[in-house]
């Protein structure tokens, strides 16, 4: 979703702002803009990408887009279409205040009417513009208040979610930022400060950062900054060291971030297990949840809440925890859970899963559980994210920054964490010592098997080329591979815009079979497991109706080649780790089909990396 950057210090702000917006592109956006203060405010903003904005800024340079204080924004449209006039920053009517905003101001309509009655004219359809006029109005109306107080007063009247950056030519040596729901991080330099929605734009400039907590506001100048709550209570700034390298947020020779991230997965698997899967000791050590392990083991029920791909990981988690730990698990879409009067009681534990750690619905589900006295464990990728901070304890996935909008390595890292968790919960209980050790061995051998699977990318590319014409795809799997079918379908639809659906293989005859004809490619996960022959029967049902079958099968299963149109092989593995292998060809299939159809796989239309609005 929208991205924010800001700068105050001793150097020209524009290069940081443009480069910073570029680093935030992965979040998803449709328009971009910057405002720079140099006596007066200069604004350049327009529909389109950051490269185009850079050209517009260069073209306007003669007019003085120069200055050492500035803000920048990438907008993902919510209120008002993607257009030049709806792009941020928004200016007050006299041009003295510029504002950028992430989130949604829920009472914008009422505020707009009130401001219009005071003579304010609106230039855009956005909810955000209300805020800049409100600050201006309060600053002019309330005697003797300063910029900071005007912003504070305005925020106290706003309902909804926001991350904002505000500048004013009336107090030109200040940059004010505040957050309520939308993340913001301040980078601390020597005589300069940087602001961004996440750490990616900061890594080239500083390693020392302060993550703003919800309800906090910072006033930055070149000499320092103050941190208070929106209610004006002084807060202590906690400075943390950024654990992020530049090459982690660059493409490193790959054509797209998505491909790079698919190829990174074998290494990510090692990173997730490092120091946690202790083969020699025959143990799993999950430091982050140590204090809650017993509570989790004794849980009457575990409720998993997540969205999208993370929800698919949650479904695999359900299979894993129920198989190995014998604890009942319920998996909910966070957006449904929060609004359906869920029954929460003693002995229950919630598990939230989120790559970004900022997903609004997942965060709301977490808060609802905590309000009801239920402990919450988090599985997050982004260190220091809101969900990571608000959970009682958690396990980081250590997948590194995921820049491609379509989640790949974060998904497999989540599944790996869930497998480790299930085994840790089951050890010495439902899972005897031999079975536990065998399972550890399966985990340890996974990175090498995954490496062999990604190395088959050329085979997947070849098959992909035969299906770029398709308008629909069906994905089928059973057991651990049912959520993989859902994930394969989601991956394909989000980056190639081909309609795709995932089903449990046995459900096909309860409806979807009606769709099958020669124009319906069907991807079937058919590893050699307990339901192998049942899935083979499903394949026959597809073939009898002339559907094209792409099978994901176990190495050595030569015989299946005669029964399907194409086979993609994955190494032999235990059923519970199979999703970590079968998903890889599905990711690659989506990637190649989408790129061959000319789609922008790293930034698919309409999608955002962190969905911070509900
Ligand atoms: C799909 C995808 C989304 C996210 C979903 C939840 O490729 O990336 O479906 O999985 O928006 O996001 P997180 O995991 O950040 O909570």
């Amino acid at each position: 979703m929208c991205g924010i950057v800001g700068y105050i210090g001793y150097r020209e702000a524009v290069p940081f702002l443009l480069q910073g917006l570029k680093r935030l592109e992965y979040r998803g956006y449709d328009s971009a803009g910057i405002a720079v203060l140099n006596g007066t405010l200069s604004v350049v903003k327009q529909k389109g990408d950051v490269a185009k904005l850079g050209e517009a800024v260069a073209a306007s340079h003669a007019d003085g887009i120069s200055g050492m204080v500035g803000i920048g924004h990438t907008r993902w449209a919510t209120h008002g279409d993607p257009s030049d006039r709806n792009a941020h920053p928004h200016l007050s009517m006299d041009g003295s205040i510029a504002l950028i905003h992430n989130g949604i101001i829920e009472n914008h309509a009422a505020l707009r009417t009130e401001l219009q009655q005071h003579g304010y004219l609106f230039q855009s359809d956005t909810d955000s513009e209300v805020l800049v006029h409100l600050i201006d109005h309060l600053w002019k109306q309330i005697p003797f208040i300063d910029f900071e107080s005007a912003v504070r007063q305005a925020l106290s009247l706003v309902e909804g979610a926001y991350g904002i950056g505000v500048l004013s030519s009336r107090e030109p040596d200040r940059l004010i930022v505040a957050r309520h729901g939308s993340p913001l991080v301040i980078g601390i330099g020597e005589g300069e400060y940087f602001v961004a929605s996440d750490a990616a734009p900061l890594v080239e400039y500083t390693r020392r950062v302060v993550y703003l907590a919800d309800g906090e506001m910072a006033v930055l100048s070149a000499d320092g900054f103050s941190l208070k709550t929106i209610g004006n209570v002084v807060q202590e700034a906690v400075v943390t060291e950024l654990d992020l390298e530049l090459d982690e947020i660059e493409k490193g020779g790959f054509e797209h971030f998505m491909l790079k991230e698919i190829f990174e997965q074998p290494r990510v698997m090692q990173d997730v297990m490092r120091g946690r899967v202790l083969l020699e000791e025959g143990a799993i050590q999950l430091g982050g949840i140590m204090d809650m392990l017993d509570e989790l083991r004794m849980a009457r029920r575990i409720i998993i809440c997540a969205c999208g791909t993370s929800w698919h990981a949650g479904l695999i988690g359900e299979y894993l925890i129920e198989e190995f730990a014998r604890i009942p698990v319920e998996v909910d879409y966070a957006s449904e859970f929060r609004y359906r009067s869920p029954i929460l009681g003693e002995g229950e534990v919630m598990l939230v899963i989120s790559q970004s750690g900022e997903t609004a619905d997942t965060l709301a589900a977490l808060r609802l559980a905590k309000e009801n006295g239920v402990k919450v464990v988090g599985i997050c990728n982004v260190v220091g994210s809101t969900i990571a901070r608000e959970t009682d304890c958690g396990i980081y996935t250590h997948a590194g920054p995921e820049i491609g909008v379509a989640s790949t390595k974060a998904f497999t890292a989540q599944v790996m964490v869930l497998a480790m968790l299930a085994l840790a919960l089951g050890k010495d209980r439902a899972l005897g010592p031999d079975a536990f050790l065998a399972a550890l061995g399966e985990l340890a051998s996974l990175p090498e098997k995954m490496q062999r699977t990604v190395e088959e990318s050329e085979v997947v590319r070849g098959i992909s080329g035969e299906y770029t014409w398709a308008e629909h795809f069906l994905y089928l799997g059973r057991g651990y591979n049912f959520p993989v079918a859902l994930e394969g379908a989601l991956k394909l639809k989000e980056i190639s815009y081909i309609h795709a659906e995932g089903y449990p293989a046995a459900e096909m005859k309860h409806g979807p079979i009606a769709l099958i004809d020669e124009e319906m490619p069907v991807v079937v996960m058919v590893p050699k497991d307990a339901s192998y022959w049942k899935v083979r029967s499903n394949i026959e049902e597809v073939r009898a109706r002339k559907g094209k079958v792409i099978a994901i099968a176990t190495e050595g299963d030569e015989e299946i080649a005669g029964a399907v149109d194409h086979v993609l092989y994955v190494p032999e593995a235990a059923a519970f780790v199979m999703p970590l292998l079968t998903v890889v060809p599905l990711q690659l299939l989506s990637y190649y089909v989408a790129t061959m159809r000319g789609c922008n796989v790293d930034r698919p239309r309409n999608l955002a990396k962190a969905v911070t609005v509900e």
Side-chain angles (χ1 to χ4, degrees), residues 5-20:
V5 287
Y7 177 80
I8 188 161
Y10 58 84
R11 49 178 133 185
E12 283 293 339
V14 170
F16 168 73
L17 298 179
L18 290 176
Q19 172 71 358

Side-chain angles (χ1 to χ4, degrees), residues 324-600:
F324 292 121
R326 308 302 297 148
I327 301 169
V329 178
E330 174 189 316
V331 188
D332 262 304
Y333 283 117
S335 54
E336 286 299 313
F337 177 84
R338 61 183 290 197
Y339 286 119
R340 69 166 168 82
S341 307
I343 300 164
L344 292 165
E346 213 162 292
E348 297 188 311
V349 177
M350 178 181 274
L351 191 61
V352 287
I353 308 174
S354 175
Q355 186 287 128
S356 62
E358 302 294 345
T359 302
D361 284 319
T362 310
L363 186 57
L366 175 174
R367 287 176 177 162
L368 180 65
K370 286 182 82 173
E371 277 161 26
N372 283 276
V374 169
K375 288 266 175 59
V376 185
V377 179
I379 297 179
C380 286
N381 193 39
V382 178
V383 176
S385 56
T386 311
I387 292 176
R389 281 185 286 132
E390 291 200 16
T391 42
D392 293 288
C393 63
I395 311 169
Y396 279 119
T397 44
H398 295 324
E402 190 176 64
I403 310 288
V405 162
S407 188
T408 52
K409 64 174 181 172
F411 171 74
T412 44
Q414 288 165 346
V415 174
M416 177 52 92
V417 165
L418 287 160
M420 294 188 303
L421 177 64
L423 295 176
L425 294 177
K427 186 174 187 249
D428 302 331
R429 299 175 75 239
L431 201 57
D434 293 345
F436 180 78
L437 286 179
L440 283 198
E442 282 289 338
L443 294 187
S445 64
L446 181 81
E448 181 271 323
K449 292 179 183 173
M450 209 180 215
Q451 184 60 38
R452 275 163 46 203
T453 311
V454 293
E455 280 167 10
E456 291 299 303
S457 65
E458 280 307 307
V459 183
V460 186
R461 187 213 289 264
I463 294 172
S464 306
E466 295 189 34
Y467 290 95
T468 52
W469 51 266
E471 286 311 320
H472 307 274
F473 259 80
L474 190 61
Y475 287 73
L476 302 175
R478 278 192 91 136
Y480 282 108
N481 282 299
F482 157 52
V484 178
L486 297 179
E487 175 59 8
L490 177 65
K491 224 66 321 165
L492 186 73
K493 70 185 129 190
E494 64 186 341
I495 62 169
S496 72
Y497 318 137
I498 294 173
H499 168 237
E501 291 197 48
Y503 269 93
E507 272 292 306
M508 183 181 63
K509 35 183 154 350
H510 298 287
I513 199 165
L515 296 169
I516 293 179
D517 61 16
E518 60 278 12
E519 293 188 1
M520 175 66 95
V522 183
V523 181
V524 188
M525 263 68 64
V526 56
K528 280 272 174 136
D529 61 16
S531 41
Y532 178 78
W533 286 108
K534 295 191 190 305
V535 179
R536 283 291 300 265
S537 303
N538 299 133
I539 290 177
E540 289 311 311
E541 289 156 8
V542 173
R543 297 268 287 173
R545 287 156 186 86
K546 299 194 167 48
K548 301 263 182 295
V549 176
I550 303 168
I552 315 296
T554 310
E555 267 172 14
D557 183 4
E558 304 297 337
E559 192 256 340
I560 197 168
V564 299
D565 295 275
H566 310 277
V567 195
L568 292 166
Y569 287 108
V570 295
E572 201 177 337
F576 82 98
V577 287
M578 208 32 123
L580 293 164
L581 297 172
T582 51
V583 77
V584 174
L586 305 195
Q587 296 167 341
L588 288 166
L589 182 73
S590 309
Y591 172 80
Y592 288 121
V593 169
T595 48
M596 287 172 194
R597 284 166 66 105
C599 302
N600 182 344

